[in-house]
Amino acid sequence: MTGEARPRIRHNDYSPLTPPPLGDWVPRLTASVVIPARGAQHRLDLTLAALAAQTYPASLTEVIVVDDGSSPPLRLPEIRPENTRIIVSPPGGRGPGHAMNAGIAAAGGEIVHRLDADMVICAEHLESLFRWHHLTDYLVTIGGKRFTEEPELTPEAVYDAVKRGDFDSLFDPAALVASSTEATIERLDGLRKSRNPYQVCTGPTVSLRRTLLAEVGGFDPEVVRGQDTEFAYRLAQAGAVFIPDPAARAVHLGMPAQRGEHREAIIRLVETYLAHRVPLRRDLRKDRGRRWLVPFVEVVFDATGADERRVRAAVDAALGGTLTDVAVTLVGTWPDPAAPGGPQWHGPAFDRALVHELLRHDPRVRFAERPAPTAAPAPFRYTAPIDAPPTGDLLERMTKVMLEERLGMLVVELDGGGTATLERTEAVARARLLAAPGERLTDVIEATHGVRHAAEREFRRAAGRDEPAAKRPEPAGGQAAQEAERRAARRREGQAARPAAKEPAPAQPGGRSVWGRLGLFRRS
């Protein structure tokens, strides 16, 4: 919002925002309603008839229907909004996410609204949701919905009833089935008290500013079920606030798929997609030995000036803890494997080449000249000195505290000196949106989520007693390293006088080196 200070919202409590009364304000933002559709022409006709009777100005609204492989192709009915067109979903994909991305690319509105092709909405539906976007630009607004078996309706009847404000006359109240999200929204004070409000953003009617949508890059076309929840999760990591508006009423024609004969299969499919892409769903990641697409925590080390042994030890420690869905970002100047020229056999350049070749094949390890602004899509980022990596269950305990206390940042005084930070991605992203020029992000995070300072030893306790701190890798050249080398030399001298005995390999967690584990984490 150029030249305008954004309101500072703590967690998802949007109480500081007061939307204008319906019918008593002047809209100014253009809006694009994108409708992914496949077949079911009659239901689409009813949806477009209701859209033609909206109170939000038609001059500010366009409607884009994306035909996702219908046979016969969809057509525009006689009763429809003034600025309505059909485009065909491009080749190379199929499904609502792919179709939505095509519609978004064709849309020109400052607000983008995603609407199912089997929704009949009340006259104030768009106005109810869009008025919030005139207050600030990091909101996601959610319309209400109830389900019904499709009644005998015509587009003319829908348009007339919606236009005259008699939406309720279209449906038998006794036949309407409430959405499961309605009870959640009410229990959590309209999501103001929700810890994970993105979970109720399931798609049939959702709107947001185009700038926020661009921040997360649209829908994931690979997700064929649960794509709206996955999209909403990424919006949450971008700092979004989620607002359901009960005035935006709608009826979904047909019962939810989760209630049909394939209910169990659909739920299993959704959970499979979300398990890889929504790390906050810890209930879906109970197999601790599996590798996941999106990590729960990104660990960042500045490897500048560190030799190969120190970097290897730090990465081993971070990836070898009890929290297994972790990725490591190594910050420094790294060689280009395709660059001409032979290796340098000593000095920092040699160590960088060793580190890069050793770790570049592990998809859990990333190389960067500088960290990305946030850890998105990972929900947490832990930044520590390379000689003080997290060991054992340290990350697991810290993230547990962050989740329980809803903190935005944890600043940890390390046992050996120095500090480490654990950041919540959504808090950092929101702080970047809200911070005034020259303002510290930490101060904004304190206002929106909270910042806590703690000693490292606080997270090494169990059953009311202190646990001994897990041993950290010794910096190369330290006294312990020198003593270890002297002991190794003495062993070699003693072994020279007798036949060599096979020495067992050091045990690794799970019986194998952490470098041998496969991963599926994104490199981007």
Side-chain angles (χ1 to χ4, degrees):
M1 295 179 65
T2 306
E4 223 176 308
R6 296 178 174 92
R8 300 196 171 187
I9 297 172
R10 186 169 181 86
H11 297 304
N12 203 64
D13 185 2
Y14 52 89
S15 299
L17 301 181
T18 303
L22 293 173
D24 192 23
W25 65 294
V26 179
R28 68 178 188 280
L29 297 176
T30 58
S32 300
V33 180
V34 179
I35 305 175
R38 188 178 185 189
Q41 178 73 55
H42 178 65
R43 289 184 177 184
L44 175 63
D45 293 351
L46 302 181
T47 297
L48 291 175
L51 278 170
Q54 293 297 295
T55 59
Y56 198 80
S59 60
L60 295 175
T61 309
E62 67 171 352
V63 177
I64 301 172
V65 178
V66 186
D67 188 341
D68 188 28
S70 301
S71 182
L74 295 172
R75 53 166 179 75
L76 289 180
E78 182 179 345
I79 301 177
R80 62 181 188 267
E82 295 174 11
N83 188 14
T84 302
R85 67 189 190 273
I86 290 182
I87 65 172
V88 176
S89 189
R94 178 167 289 187
H98 180 72
M100 276 300 302
N101 287 340
I104 291 166
E110 297 164 276
I111 300 170
V112 176
H113 184 85
R114 183 246 199 271
L115 185 66
D116 272 0
D118 48 11
M119 296 278 284
V120 176
I121 62 178
C122 72
E124 302 83 13
H125 192 94
L126 297 186
E127 182 187 353
S128 298
L129 298 180
F130 295 174
R131 58 182 173 165
W132 294 93
H133 300 304
H134 288 69
L135 303 178
T136 190
D137 60 353
Y138 66 105
L139 310 178
V140 178
T141 56
I142 306 167
K145 63 181 180 297
R146 298 206 164 195
F147 297 89
T148 187
E149 296 293 352
E150 185 175 353
E152 292 291 333
L153 288 175
T154 65
E156 292 79 9
V158 168
Y159 176 81
D160 290 342
V162 173
K163 189 70 174 177
R164 68 174 182 266
D166 197 13
F167 176 75
D168 293 333
S169 68
L170 293 170
F171 305 100
D172 177 6
L176 296 178
V177 177
S179 165
S180 60
T181 60
E182 287 190 2
T184 301
I185 290 170
E186 183 176 355
R187 176 172 55 84
L188 298 174
D189 189 22
L191 297 184
R192 292 176 182 87
K193 297 178 180 178
S194 177
R195 290 175 177 266
N196 294 301
Y198 71 88
Q199 291 184 335
V200 306
C201 191
T202 53
T205 173
V206 174
S207 68
L208 68 161
R209 292 281 285 267
R210 172 177 283 280
T211 50
L212 178 59
L213 192 155
E215 187 68 24
V216 302
F219 286 76
D220 185 341
E222 295 182 2
V223 182
V224 299
R225 282 285 184 176
Q227 65 276 349
D228 296 299
T229 301
E230 188 277 336
F231 176 61
Y233 164 77
R234 285 186 285 116
L235 289 171
Q237 301 317 302
V241 171
F242 295 81
I243 302 178
D245 194 321
R249 296 181 298 146
V251 171
H252 185 284
L253 302 176
M255 304 306 290
Q258 288 84 344
R259 292 177 180 240
E261 60 176 320
H262 302 300
R263 175 183 183 277
E264 183 179 349
I266 290 173
I267 291 174
R268 290 174 61 192
L269 183 59
V270 169
E271 289 183 345
T272 299
Y273 280 107
L274 297 186
H276 272 291
R277 294 164 174 83
V278 183
L280 291 177
R281 288 293 305 271
R282 306 309 288 164
D283 59 312
L284 302 180
R285 292 191 174 185
K286 293 181 179 179
D287 185 349
R288 299 175 72 90
R290 192 174 305 283
R291 294 290 168 239
W292 305 99
L293 184 64
V294 178
F296 186 52
V297 181
E298 177 199 27
V299 177
V300 176
F301 296 124
D302 186 347
T304 304
D307 64 26
E308 178 263 338
R309 294 178 181 85
R310 290 168 64 195
V311 176
R312 181 204 294 255
V315 175
D316 263 331
L319 296 180
T322 60
L323 198 64
T324 59
D325 45 350
V326 172
V328 175
T329 296
L330 296 173
V331 178
T333 303
W334 303 105
D336 180 0
Q344 300 182 38
W345 297 107
H346 57 81
F350 179 64
D351 275 288
R352 288 197 299 270
L354 283 178
V355 167
H356 192 258
E357 181 57 29
L358 175 68
L359 301 180
R360 71 187 179 94
H361 305 289
D362 189 325
R364 297 167 298 169
V365 180
R366 305 153 174 169
F367 294 87
E369 293 186 359
R370 62 185 65 84
T374 76
F380 293 105
R381 171 183 280 171
Y382 184 77
T383 305
I386 199 162
D387 293 322
T391 57
D393 64 354
L394 192 67
L395 280 180
E396 195 164 8
R397 290 177 180 272
M398 288 181 179
T399 51
K400 182 179 180 181
V401 168
M402 291 279 283
L403 290 169
E404 289 177 347
E405 300 184 15
R406 304 183 69 184
L407 296 172
M409 179 180 289
L410 187 62
V411 182
V412 181
E413 300 297 327
L414 299 172
D415 293 341
T419 60
T421 59
L422 181 61
E423 303 168 346
R424 186 188 292 263
T425 300
E426 68 171 73
V428 176
R430 190 176 301 177
R432 287 172 53 82
L433 282 172
L434 301 178
E439 185 176 15
R440 296 193 313 163
L441 293 183
T442 306
D443 293 336
V444 184
I445 294 172
E446 174 64 50
T448 62
H449 289 77
V451 176
R452 178 178 160 189
H453 293 256
E456 180 183 356
R457 60 181 176 274
E458 178 181 336
F459 304 100
R460 297 197 184 278
R461 295 174 179 171
R465 55 184 172 79
D466 286 345
E467 288 182 330
K471 187 175 181 180
R472 285 212 170 93
E474 181 75 18
Q479 292 182 357
Q482 295 171 10
E483 179 59 29
E485 178 58 31
R486 285 194 291 268
R487 288 197 300 269
R490 288 195 295 269
R491 284 198 302 272
R492 288 193 295 270
E493 291 171 2
Q495 289 169 351
R498 62 179 185 272
K502 185 176 181 180
E503 187 174 337
Q508 295 289 344
R512 54 182 174 150
S513 166
V514 295
W515 301 114
R517 300 175 189 169
L518 295 177
L520 291 172
F521 295 130
R522 285 177 174 152
R523 292 180 180 274
S524 58

